[in-house]
Amino acid sequence: MSETSSSEAPFDRRRFLVSVSAAALSAASPARGAAPTDNASRRIQVGFLGAAYSHFTDKYRLLRQSARFELVGIAEDSAEVRSRGPEGARWLSREALLDKVELVVVESNPEHHARDARDALSAGRHVHLEKPPADSLPAFRELLDLARRNRCQLQVGYMWRYNPGIRSALESAQKGWLGDVFLVRATMNTLLDPSRRPEWARFRGGAMFEQGSHLVDMVVRLMGRPVRVTPFLKTSGPHDDHLADNTLAIFEYPRAWAVITSAPLQPNAGPHRFLEILGTAGSARVQPIEPPSLHLDLRNPAGPYPAGRQEIPVPRYERYVDEFNALADAIQGGPPLAVSADVELDIQEALMRACDML
């Protein structure tokens, strides 16, 4: 374990004048900030670059059925992955896919995420990029720069950005309804099949890199760039390997802490996943995260909520639906993506520090 600090190791940031999400689109698209036009009624040609990642199946099903996208095909280098791919899939070469589509969805194994996104962005294609988006900070900075220069949308696929329970919890803190936030806690565990441990062990961060990244995303979007991140990466499982399967990271802010943990050792872990935000005027807790159940405890009435402990109703939620709708809107000249390039860079830096990979 090592401690990393933004003050001890200065970070030479590249500040972009415009965010990736607000970058101008191609000449055929409406001007930035314009309301969607008839362009919004056409279906976006989309294809998958890689099909090995665990989120591929649900995203493939969603886009195949979507009225906003037209699924062109899949490019996948591995014959083994193709052999277990979806029935009736149209398999294309990488070159053919990039030639035919407007949007590329990167669902390859994590070690290929940055490479595949770089190929797509270099070809001038918009990209939905599975998390973690890269295994280094320079590699991710290169993707942001490519997206900016080629006027492409780059959406990172942190799957809970549009979770209504998470969004409402973050809103309650951002609007001051919880008072001054002094502690954020979050946990995401699972039970990983032993056959997949080598896949996760390719990266020093282990479980923190693979699943804890979702929690890093939430913490940084709420609290900003941390002053210091201290990672604790332990191997606790009864396996003869070096996978960091019991991980914790402490994020230090001037007047607050955030503590996140991730371990692939817990049976029936889904109901135990949570986000908790504690402030001087109240608290917000989402548990489970899916389906989201949000509870507030407020000292005084705040925003639309009365004082006291309460369960807050949240809309029906299905993973990926809202994020792909938001991406389609941005491509077709509607509202920009919610997370700017600068914030994406802060998230990636914090993830690398939490994984002791910077």
Side-chain angles (χ1 to χ4, degrees):
M1 183 277 295
S2 66
E3 182 183 87
T4 56
S5 168
S6 57
S7 59
E8 295 169 356
F11 174 44
D12 183 14
R13 299 178 54 81
R14 175 176 297 176
R15 291 290 180 183
F16 300 117
L17 296 179
V18 294
S19 72
V20 171
S21 59
L25 300 178
S26 66
S29 299
R32 187 193 337 164
T37 65
D38 290 342
N39 186 49
S41 65
R42 70 173 174 81
R43 298 176 73 191
I44 296 169
Q45 303 286 301
V46 60
F48 283 84
L49 193 47
Y53 200 76
S54 58
H55 293 171
F56 163 78
T57 300
D58 287 341
K59 291 180 182 179
Y60 178 87
R61 173 187 54 80
L62 175 69
L63 293 180
R64 187 182 60 180
Q65 298 172 353
S66 172
R68 301 196 68 180
F69 297 91
E70 181 176 350
L71 184 58
V72 173
I74 312 168
E76 170 55 60
D77 296 334
S78 168
E80 190 276 328
V81 173
R82 291 197 303 270
S83 71
R84 53 184 169 85
E87 184 177 354
R90 183 186 183 195
W91 301 100
L92 301 172
S93 68
R94 178 179 296 248
E95 294 76 15
L97 182 83
L98 293 177
D99 184 58
K100 293 177 181 294
V101 302
E102 182 179 1
L103 168 65
V104 171
V105 179
V106 174
E107 291 296 323
S108 50
N109 281 323
E111 65 267 27
H112 300 314
H113 285 178
R115 178 202 69 182
D116 292 340
R118 185 171 58 248
D119 286 352
L121 291 167
S122 296
R125 305 305 179 232
H126 304 295
V127 171
H128 170 89
L129 176 56
E130 185 58 74
K131 61 82 198 168
D135 59 5
S136 76
L137 194 57
F140 187 60
R141 188 186 295 117
E142 180 186 9
L143 298 182
L144 293 174
D145 198 19
L146 267 173
R148 178 183 60 84
R149 287 193 284 111
N150 291 345
R151 297 159 31 137
C152 296
Q153 300 292 332
L154 174 58
Q155 181 187 63
V156 181
Y158 289 112
M159 65 188 181
W160 290 330
R161 285 183 173 177
Y162 292 87
N163 179 307
I166 298 295
R167 288 167 71 96
S168 293
L170 297 183
E171 178 190 44
S172 69
Q174 291 163 337
K175 291 189 173 179
W177 301 337
L178 305 182
D180 296 325
V181 174
F182 60 87
L183 179 64
V184 179
R185 300 190 302 168
T187 289
M188 182 179 183
N189 292 341
T190 191
L191 184 62
L192 185 67
D193 188 284
S195 66
R196 296 191 60 199
R197 288 178 65 89
E199 171 191 336
W200 285 33
R202 290 180 183 140
F203 304 97
R204 175 168 174 76
M208 184 61 67
F209 183 74
E210 172 60 35
Q211 287 199 324
S213 58
H214 288 297
L215 311 180
V216 175
D217 171 65
M218 292 188 289
V219 165
V220 175
R221 284 193 293 118
L222 173 62
M223 303 293 289
R225 185 174 182 239
V227 173
R228 189 188 310 271
V229 180
T230 306
F232 299 86
L233 307 172
K234 183 185 291 292
T235 300
S236 297
H239 303 279
D240 186 20
D241 61 27
H242 300 288
L243 169 64
D245 61 11
N246 193 3
T247 64
L248 179 149
I250 299 175
F251 294 69
E252 182 179 347
Y253 292 91
R255 301 178 66 86
W257 300 102
V259 181
I260 66 176
T261 66
S262 184
L265 301 172
Q266 184 181 5
N268 305 315
H272 298 274
R273 296 174 177 179
F274 74 90
L275 167 70
E276 183 177 56
I277 306 169
L278 304 180
T280 54
S283 63
R285 185 178 179 93
V286 184
Q287 185 179 15
I289 292 178
E290 291 178 308
S293 178
L294 171 63
H295 296 260
L296 296 183
D297 191 349
L298 301 177
R299 182 177 60 192
N300 300 308
Y305 306 117
R309 300 183 63 181
Q310 54 204 288
E311 181 174 0
I312 307 302
V314 296
R316 180 181 177 275
Y317 162 69
E318 182 181 352
R319 273 189 196 177
Y320 315 128
V321 172
D322 289 340
E323 65 183 300
F324 276 105
N325 278 331
L327 180 55
D329 289 343
I331 290 172
Q332 295 177 328
L337 295 173
V339 182
S340 72
D342 277 347
V343 174
E344 294 284 18
L345 199 57
D346 285 342
I347 293 165
Q348 181 69 15
E349 180 194 4
L351 175 61
M352 293 296 92
R353 294 188 185 281
C355 294
D356 200 18
M357 291 168 59
L358 190 62

